[in-house]
Structure formats: structure tokens, C-alpha cells
Amino acid sequence: MNLVSVAWKEICHRRSSLVSGLIAITLGIAVIVGIRTVTKASEHAVAVKLDSLGANVLVLPQGATVDDYHTADIDAPTFPEEYVERMISSALLGVENISPKLTRRIKIDDTKVVLTGILPDNEVASKPTWQIEGNITPEHNCAGDIGQNADPRLKREVIETLCEDECLVGVDAATRLGVQAGGTLEVEGTKLSVSKILPATGTVDDDRVFMHLHVMQELLGIGSQVSAIEVMGCCSAISDGLLSKLRNVLPDTRVTGIAQIVSTQIETNRMMDRISWGVLLLVLLIGGLSIGNTMWANVNRRRREIGVLRMLGASRSRIIGMLMLKAVVLGVAGGFFGYVLGTVFVVGMGPGTLGLNVGVLPGWFLISLGLATAVALIGSLLPAYLASQFDPSTNMQEL
Amino acid sequence: MLLTTENLCKRYERNEVAVDALLNVAIGIPEGAFVTVTGPSGSGKTTLLLTLAGLLTPTAGRIQFRDTELTALTDAKLAAFRRDHMGFVMQNFSLVPYLSARENVALPIALGRKVGKDQLQRADQLLDRVGLADRAAHLPRELSAGQQQRVAIARSLANEPDLVLADEPTGNLDPRLARDILDLLEALNGDGMTILMVTHSPEAAARGTQRVHLERGQIVEVAQPTA
């Protein structure tokens, strides 16, 4: 027998008196877990939405406009491709993919088209319709914090195997040029085989011809220059100031975000995040008070017993320790039940009520246990201290 | 002497009214004695016992337990001293309701952090000594008043104390059970255990080898009956 077993027996003996405290802490943790789970699911949903938009940050030469980039004028300004390396070496958090591009309007068989040079390893086929069989890389996960719950839609396809003598042709450009997959196109005197006609995306890409960036630079004789760098930034990183950080890394460029559409939702997520922490504080306060009240009622009921323990030689610190042991048991139980209740509730209600696919947050299991135990310990501190100060001679004589 | 007191005083003050529960008490408890303390209600008997145990802080005076001055110890040291050197038998038995008889007896050992099977074996031995070997697994509510007091006596011996302090140990028992308990205490004393027993009962007091009579917080008589 040891004091842990004595504390456990006391809990079992008076379990009904602990129910109110246990319920309070269970509900508190359930609320916290529920809110955090929904918040994470919402962030995940935003990440999916952002991902569907493709690259969300555009780096342009200083003085260039987005129109310049799209119209691909012959005189459109460029900047060194070396900027890509500069971005990579700066190791900015939240930069998921970097895709340098060179665009120029050229003539192919007297037909004006926009030729776009891309680096196959970097090019994000962000448009969902760019499905190139056999050319799909391992996943690039935007929402890195969603771990095992990653939505398969977050897997981005990257063109890996566009050879130097190949090109991809947008559907509209293919119609105008009269080419099909497997055919050839002569670009600035060089024949390129058409490896794929890209499906319609409803964007300017439909009227473009894509080829290897370095081959294009050589053909056009413009050195290692690019017109733009498309960046796939993680949604939370964008709201955390990724654009300004990029501007610091590349001061002589123009960095624009093209993900305004989701910025409101990101802000909503941030607000929800803040609210969840606010609720957390509130729940901790209420839970702590409730546990404190339960423990105070318990020690008052045990006045005589505490007096007996003091008589038998338990020091004040030992009395506090025994009561704290009880608080730990209460906290662990409350944390466990709260996690299960909160998770089951939001996962069950999520799709129907919230319109979200809510996943389980395994990491919050230990957090729930720790949080509930900490609340129980803090809430029990004062009652335990007061119990240790009970006058044993008075309590022993109380019948 | 096992325990001596000098000018021991205990004053209660409530609502600006002061009551001297003990006034200049000087008592000496020899090793192996069976001291009984009698006196009318409010004479300070229980206060004397609780003060000697360190459960009440004296207003003045000193308590010497062999080489240790109890009145100079900190609360934690006093608790440890009480655990290691004193046993208690109270009128209301003071058993922990959710622990079995065996666990109640082992509790003082557990408080000393001596964890292991030995403590339960020792508890079984002590229960056997008080005639309750077959009730070791019973909770206090499953035992009669006399049996509960026997468990309390067994518990008082758990840490092999030097002194057993008994406060009206027969107060809640019928005469036959009271006699059994007194016989048991007497037998313990016969084995060399020093006992200080507070009692109202003349019959119980007569068992003592040294009888102390208190009135209004003062010792008015110390008798040492001839064998």
C-alpha cells in the first residue's frame, strides 16, 4: 500500500462527490477540442481552396504590370533567373513552390501565340485540369500542419518530364495552330514535338505554348532572364506577411498577391483561432473554479479524516500531495473524456452542420490530458493548502 | 523518563475570553508506565494529551521526549516524530472509512514511505495480536465498535512507537467490550509499552500504574498505587 493507492481508494469511495467537477472539466475540454478541431478543419478547407487557385504570389520586374506579364510584349521587362536561387536560399517559410517563367509573343507559321518558358521541375500545374498522366510528383503539401489528414486535393501536380525538344500547347493555341498531340511545331527555327494538348482551363494558358525555359532563353537569345516568378505560398504564410518578406529578399522586383479571394477566409480563420484561445482561457477559469469548489467540498467532508492523517504523522505537505494526486486523477479523466466527447461531437456534426469534413486531431489528446490536469491542479491548490492548515486537534474531535 | 513537561500551559482565547486549559503542568512519564489521566469534563485531559502529541501548540512551557524537545520542532519534524514514536487510540476510533482493517493498520507505515509487502504483513501480525486476524479485509463499517477499537490499537502499534496515547478508548464501548480493550492495553503495557490514557472511567483509571488527576487545567493529584 502507498499513498497513491490510498488516494485512489478515496476517489472510488466518494466518486459521486467528484462528478460535478469531472463534468465541468470534461465539458470544458470538449469545448476546447471541438473548437480547435473545427478551426483546423476550416484552415484545411482554405488551404484546399487556395491550392485550387494555383500560384498565389507573382514576382514581376520592377515597373512591370500583371498585364505586361499576360500580354507578353516583346519589350516586357525581365529580371535574372538567379532570383529563384535567391528566394530558395532565403528559406522563407510558407513558400511551397517557385516557378520562373519567360513569356514572349512570337509568330509560328504566321500565327501569333504567346510562348512561355517553364522549368519542368518547378512548374506547378495548379490548374486542376492540367492532368498529365504519368507526370505526377509526390505530394507537395500546402497545409503542412494538417499532417495525416491531408486532403488528396492538396497534392499538386508538377510537370517533371517536359523534354527540351517538347512543348505543351494550350487548347485554343492548338486550334489556331492546327496541331495535335504528337505533332510538331517550329519555334524560331527549332522543331518541337507536341507532347500534350492541355485541356481548357478558361485562362490565358489556353492560348499559350509552353516549352522548356532554358531552351526558350537560348532560342530567343535573351540570356538567363525571366518575365516572372510564380510562387505557391501557404495560405497562413501569406497572411503572416510572406509578400513583404519576399519584397525584402527581392527589393528590385514587384511582388503581388493574387489570392485576395481567400484573404477574407484566412482572416476569418485567424479570428476563429483567436476566439478559440479566448474560449480556452474562459474554460480554464470556469473549470479551475469548478474543480476548486469540488475539492473544497471534498476536503470539508474529510476534515476529520485529514485530522486523523495529521495525527498519524502526515505532514502538511503530505496532505497537499495526497489531495493533488486526486486532482491529477480528476484531470486525466476529465481530459480523456473531454477529448473523446469533443472529437466525437464535431466529427459527427461537421459535415452536416458546418459543411466541413472535420478530421480528428490526435495531437490534442495529450494536450487535453495535460491541460485538464493543469487546470485540476491549479484549481485544487488553494483547497489543498487550506486543508493542510486544518487544526488536527479540532477536526479529530468533530464527530 | 520517557517524557517530561515543565510549566506546560495552554490558553484558549475566543471572543476575548481566555480559558486556561492547562496551567503549569509538570508531569513525568517513566519508561514502561501506564499513566491514566482523570478529571471532570473541561479539566484539560484531552488538551494535555493533544499537547503532548504535538497536535496542539502549548502557550508556554516545554515538552521533553527523551533527548528531543518537542516544543522546539518544526511542524514537519513534529509530524515525523509523532509518526515514528507515538501511537494513538481515540474514543471515536478514528479509522479511515474506505480502508480495510489491514490498510488502516498499515497507514502509519505508508505515511513513513515504507512501501512494500512488509507493511501489510506487519499489519496482519498486529491484527492477529488484537484478535482480528480474520477481519483484516473488512472495512470499518463492517466491524463492531469493539473490533474497530482493536483495529485502532493495532494501528497505534504499527511503527513500534515508544508511547501510546489513548483518549477515552472505552468511551464508546459497552462495559464488557471496555474491559476487553483495557485488558488489551494492560497486556501491551505488560509487554513494555508506555501508555498514557485519558479516561472518565474509574475502572479504567484503576488500571494505571500512575494516576494523574486534573482539575481546571492543573494537576491536583498524582498517585502511584502500590502493587
Side-chain angles (χ1 to χ4, degrees):
Chain A
M1 188 177 75
N2 54 38
L3 294 184
V4 176
S5 64
V6 172
W8 179 248
K9 281 174 182 287
E10 198 274 328
I11 289 170
C12 296
H13 180 68
R14 297 194 177 96
R15 52 187 175 273
S16 60
S17 68
L18 298 177
V19 166
S20 62
L22 186 61
I23 287 175
I25 202 159
T26 298
L27 290 179
I29 294 296
V31 168
I32 293 167
V33 169
I35 290 178
R36 293 304 304 165
T37 306
V38 170
T39 303
K40 283 289 177 192
S42 178
E43 286 171 3
H44 184 200
V46 171
V48 169
K49 194 171 285 184
L50 194 64
D51 195 69
S52 70
L53 292 173
N56 44 37
V57 177
L58 195 58
V59 182
L60 296 167
Q62 191 70 271
T65 64
V66 177
D67 281 346
D68 292 335
Y69 170 62
H70 287 309
T71 55
D73 285 341
I74 191 75
D75 295 326
T78 57
F79 56 75
E81 189 187 339
E82 174 265 333
Y83 283 16
V84 173
E85 290 302 319
R86 206 187 290 183
M87 286 171 66
I88 292 169
S89 60
S90 65
L92 289 175
L93 287 177
V95 173
E96 294 288 323
N97 196 75
I98 299 170
S99 173
K101 281 188 170 67
L102 175 64
T103 56
R104 280 289 182 271
R105 190 172 291 276
I106 62 165
K107 275 187 178 179
I108 299 176
D109 295 336
D110 293 330
T111 303
K112 283 186 177 177
V113 292
V114 174
L115 184 64
T116 302
I118 57 175
L119 281 181
D121 288 344
N122 298 55
E123 184 60 24
V124 174
S126 54
K127 296 81 183 172
T129 49
W130 276 37
Q131 301 291 333
I132 301 172
E133 290 178 16
N135 289 344
I136 296 174
T137 62
E139 65 183 79
H140 289 249
N141 197 340
C142 177
D145 52 355
I146 55 177
Q148 296 172 346
N149 303 313
D151 192 304
R153 286 173 294 174
L154 284 178
K155 291 175 182 172
R156 295 174 178 156
E157 298 101 34
V158 176
I159 302 165
E160 280 187 320
T161 57
L162 181 65
C163 298
E164 294 189 353
D165 59 350
E166 288 178 340
C167 66
L168 301 165
V169 183
V171 63
D172 293 342
T175 304
R176 292 197 298 114
L177 293 166
V179 292
Q180 293 181 331
T184 56
L185 276 182
E186 189 170 329
V187 176
E188 300 292 315
T190 299
K191 285 194 175 177
L192 301 174
S193 66
V194 178
S195 66
K196 176 86 179 177
I197 304 298
L198 296 169
T201 63
T203 68
V204 291
D205 292 342
D206 291 349
D207 201 28
R208 291 188 174 196
V209 174
F210 296 87
M211 65 179 294
H212 197 287
L213 173 65
H214 294 157
V215 177
M216 181 175 166
Q217 287 169 337
E218 198 177 325
L219 285 177
L220 299 180
I222 55 174
S224 294
Q225 294 284 312
V226 294
S227 310
I229 301 173
E230 287 184 357
V231 178
M232 179 72 86
C234 189
C235 52
S236 58
I238 292 173
S239 56
D240 285 340
L242 177 62
L243 268 57
S244 60
K245 289 172 189 167
L246 279 170
R247 285 182 193 116
N248 288 336
V249 174
L250 305 171
D252 54 343
T253 60
R254 179 164 175 254
V255 181
T256 51
I258 55 175
Q260 305 300 323
I261 196 166
V262 290
S263 63
T264 305
Q265 191 152 0
I266 290 170
E267 277 308 308
T268 306
N269 279 348
R270 292 185 126 200
M271 187 178 71
M272 200 162 167
D273 197 48
R274 285 194 291 268
I275 287 172
S276 73
W277 292 117
V279 169
L280 173 71
L281 282 176
L282 194 65
V283 166
L284 293 186
L285 185 67
I286 294 170
L289 287 173
S290 179
I291 290 286
N293 187 47
T294 299
M295 290 299 278
W296 181 238
N298 180 259
V299 297
N300 269 304
R301 199 172 293 125
R302 297 175 64 190
R303 271 177 176 271
R304 197 169 147 248
E305 184 188 315
I306 290 167
V308 169
L309 289 169
R310 294 277 288 132
M311 174 187 80
L312 295 178
S315 61
R316 294 184 200 280
S317 58
R318 188 62 69 85
I319 296 293
I320 292 175
M322 289 179 77
L323 291 167
M324 287 314 211
L325 265 176
K326 187 171 178 171
V328 168
V329 172
L330 205 59
V332 169
F336 174 79
F337 291 126
Y339 175 79
V340 171
L341 183 67
T343 301
V344 167
F345 186 76
V346 295
V347 169
M349 298 283 286
T353 310
L354 307 170
L356 285 172
N357 284 318
V358 181
V360 177
L361 296 180
W364 266 82
F365 178 68
L366 288 179
I367 294 174
S368 298
L369 295 186
L371 207 57
T373 305
V375 170
L377 284 172
I378 293 168
S380 303
L381 207 53
L382 184 62
Y385 171 76
L386 293 174
S388 75
Q389 302 301 310
F390 284 164
D391 179 358
S393 63
T394 306
N395 293 323
M396 280 164 49
Q397 293 171 78
E398 285 177 359
L399 285 170
Chain B
M1 284 288 173
L2 176 70
L3 186 145
T4 56
T5 68
E6 288 176 20
N7 300 319
L8 197 62
C9 298
K10 179 64 185 175
R11 171 176 286 190
Y12 294 112
E13 291 185 27
R14 279 183 191 161
N15 302 327
E16 297 180 359
V17 177
V19 176
D20 287 313
L22 296 176
L23 200 57
N24 298 322
V25 171
I27 190 172
I29 301 175
E31 300 265 4
F34 188 167
V35 179
T36 56
V37 180
T38 57
S41 294
S43 59
K45 302 186 297 296
T46 298
T47 298
L48 174 64
L49 182 139
L50 296 173
T51 308
L52 295 180
L55 291 164
L56 280 177
T57 307
T59 315
R62 58 196 295 265
I63 304 167
Q64 188 80 23
F65 195 109
R66 289 197 180 122
D67 296 332
T68 307
E69 187 182 341
L70 300 189
T71 35
L73 295 180
T74 62
D75 181 79
K77 284 183 177 172
L78 198 51
F81 190 90
R82 199 160 50 232
R83 182 192 66 217
D84 295 337
H85 297 279
M86 296 180 186
F88 295 87
V89 182
M90 309 305 282
Q91 181 177 359
N92 55 32
F93 321 131
S94 295
L95 299 177
V96 178
Y98 48 83
L99 297 181
S100 67
R102 176 190 289 120
E103 289 163 339
N104 262 291
V105 174
L107 186 57
I109 310 174
L111 287 171
R113 297 183 193 273
K114 297 169 194 166
V115 180
K117 286 183 180 175
D118 287 353
Q119 55 176 278
L120 292 177
Q121 283 174 357
R122 166 111 180 113
D124 285 339
Q125 287 168 2
L126 290 168
L127 285 171
D128 187 40
R129 187 169 174 185
V130 298
L132 289 176
D134 57 336
R135 298 301 180 103
H138 288 232
L139 291 172
R141 66 169 184 272
E142 297 165 340
L143 300 172
S144 70
Q147 288 169 332
Q148 288 186 54
Q149 196 60 297
R150 283 171 180 272
V151 173
I153 290 171
R155 183 183 65 187
S156 74
L157 304 174
N159 279 330
E160 300 180 38
D162 301 306
L163 173 65
V164 169
L165 297 164
D167 186 12
E168 303 276 11
T170 57
N172 282 351
L173 304 177
D174 65 42
R176 188 180 61 79
L177 289 174
R179 268 197 301 280
D180 287 348
I181 294 298
L182 290 172
D183 288 346
L184 185 56
L185 290 173
E186 211 166 37
L188 288 175
N189 179 242
D191 291 342
M193 178 63 65
T194 308
I195 298 172
L196 183 141
M197 180 174 71
V198 166
T199 182
H200 269 110
S201 159
E203 186 199 345
R207 305 277 187 130
T209 58
Q210 182 178 322
R211 299 171 201 166
V212 177
H213 189 73
L214 277 178
E215 280 189 17
R216 294 183 180 180
Q218 290 181 296
I219 294 177
V220 294
E221 183 185 355
V222 177
Q224 217 151 356
T226 52

